Amino acid sequence: QARQDLAMTRALRSALGAQTSLTSEQEKPNLSLVGSLATSGLESGAIDAAVDPFDDPKQMTYFFGLEFELSLNRTGPRTKRESVAAQARALDARMRVLDRYIHREIELAFQAVEASEKRLKQAERNIRVLDDKRRAEFEKFQQARSEEVVVLRYEMEVLGAQTDRIQALKPARESEA
């Protein structure tokens, strides 16, 4: 069974990890390769229409270079990084709390199952003992050495023990769900 709160916290933590990576990339200097191509020395109407300036390498100007950009004012990205780090710490703390809570739920469920098993064994022993007593009392009744009321009292005690057995099964079945 998937826990929605845990899945949501993990998804938020993953998103914050991506945001941290993006913020750290934005803080790095930018180095770009730039280039341009232009025709030079040509005015409109000054060239013959049959001559294409792109076919004549003397008429072309090429420019290639590197562009380096470094932001000296880094307070924005630093503030963003610190904010993301604080959110990540808060989510990590929430994950630890959820972990402890889940572990505690599992411990309690395990203890409930163990207690249920003990009560079940005790109820089954009680049923056997009371059923033996009821049978013995019924035999006495058939021999006219006991009264019907005593047999019925033992019968009710057996039914009570069977009810206890059913109640002992309940937590074990609930923990399976």
Side-chain angles (χ1 to χ4, degrees):
Q1 182 180 15
R3 291 192 52 113
Q4 295 299 322
D5 52 353
L6 189 59
M8 180 66 91
T9 305
R10 284 182 179 154
L12 287 172
R13 183 62 176 98
S14 176
L16 280 178
Q19 196 170 10
T20 301
S21 297
L22 177 66
T23 304
S24 68
E25 282 297 317
Q26 289 174 340
E27 287 182 321
K28 293 180 180 177
N30 184 18
L31 181 63
S32 304
L33 176 64
V34 293
S36 67
L37 172 66
T39 58
S40 62
L42 300 175
E43 295 181 20
S44 64
I47 61 167
D48 186 357
V51 177
D52 187 3
F54 291 104
D55 288 338
D56 186 7
K58 294 179 192 172
Q59 302 292 326
M60 302 299 293
T61 303
Y62 303 97
F63 170 76
F64 291 100
L66 292 175
E67 185 178 279
F68 182 73
E69 186 179 326
L70 177 63
S71 174
L72 298 177
N73 181 11
R74 294 183 170 198
T75 57
R78 184 180 315 123
T79 304
K80 180 72 172 172
R81 185 182 66 236
E82 289 169 357
S83 170
V84 168
Q87 290 174 354
R89 285 190 302 274
L91 283 175
D92 288 342
R94 178 170 167 73
M95 290 282 285
R96 286 190 299 275
V97 167
L98 282 173
D99 256 359
R100 285 193 301 267
Y101 181 73
I102 290 168
H103 285 286
R104 184 66 182 148
E105 280 183 340
I106 291 169
E107 285 175 8
L108 290 175
F110 185 72
Q111 289 171 357
V113 169
E114 283 182 332
S116 173
E117 287 176 359
K118 287 178 184 177
R119 286 196 325 264
L120 180 63
K121 288 177 183 177
Q122 182 62 42
E124 288 172 348
R125 279 191 298 267
N126 289 345
I127 289 171
R128 282 192 302 271
V129 168
L130 289 171
D131 198 42
D132 290 343
K133 287 182 179 181
R134 182 192 53 82
R135 265 191 251 116
E137 199 62 37
F138 184 72
E139 288 176 13
K140 285 183 186 178
F141 172 72
Q142 286 179 334
Q143 297 170 1
R145 293 185 325 179
S146 180
E147 298 179 10
E148 186 178 11
V149 175
V150 177
V151 175
L152 290 175
R153 184 173 49 94
Y154 277 117
E155 187 68 39
M156 290 187 62
E157 287 182 18
V158 169
L159 289 174
Q162 288 174 344
T163 302
D164 291 345
R165 181 181 178 275
I166 291 169
Q167 293 298 323
L169 285 171
K170 194 175 182 181
R173 298 218 180 199
E174 288 173 354
S175 69
E176 290 176 1

